[in-house]
Amino acid sequence: MSLENIIKNAMENKPLDMKEAFQEEMQTRIAAALEEKYKKAMKEEDDEDKDDDDEDKDEDDDDDDDEDEK
């Protein structure tokens, strides 16, 4: 809807209204992009934590095997 406002204000030669509409649209897009990037980073961090937990379990299993051999 903001894009429509930008075009409408441009055609009506209202540069200040067009500028405000443009700034609003850019703010919305930036916020959406940052939110998406944040979600992606959190998902990757969770995946890394799970991988680290799996590695720790594998190491614990190896330690158990070493104790059994003794």
Side-chain angles (χ1 to χ4, degrees):
M1 188 178 340
S2 290
L3 290 176
E4 292 170 356
N5 288 340
I6 294 169
I7 294 168
K8 177 183 152 197
N9 290 323
M11 294 181 79
E12 292 176 359
N13 287 327
K14 295 181 180 178
L16 294 178
D17 291 342
M18 184 180 75
K19 180 182 175 187
E20 289 175 8
F22 179 77
Q23 288 175 336
E24 182 181 313
E25 180 65 19
M26 290 306 296
Q27 188 67 31
T28 301
R29 288 181 182 206
I30 290 169
L34 287 174
E35 183 177 347
E36 186 64 31
K37 189 169 186 173
Y38 176 78
K39 286 179 182 179
K40 184 178 178 183
M42 290 294 104
K43 184 177 184 280
E44 289 175 357
E45 186 176 308
D46 287 345
D47 291 345
E48 288 176 7
D49 288 345
K50 288 178 184 176
D51 290 343
D52 289 346
D53 289 345
D54 291 343
E55 289 176 9
D56 290 344
K57 288 179 184 176
D58 290 342
E59 289 175 7
D60 290 344
D61 291 342
D62 291 343
D63 291 343
D64 291 341
D65 291 342
D66 291 343
E67 290 176 8
D68 292 339
E69 291 175 4
K70 291 180 181 178

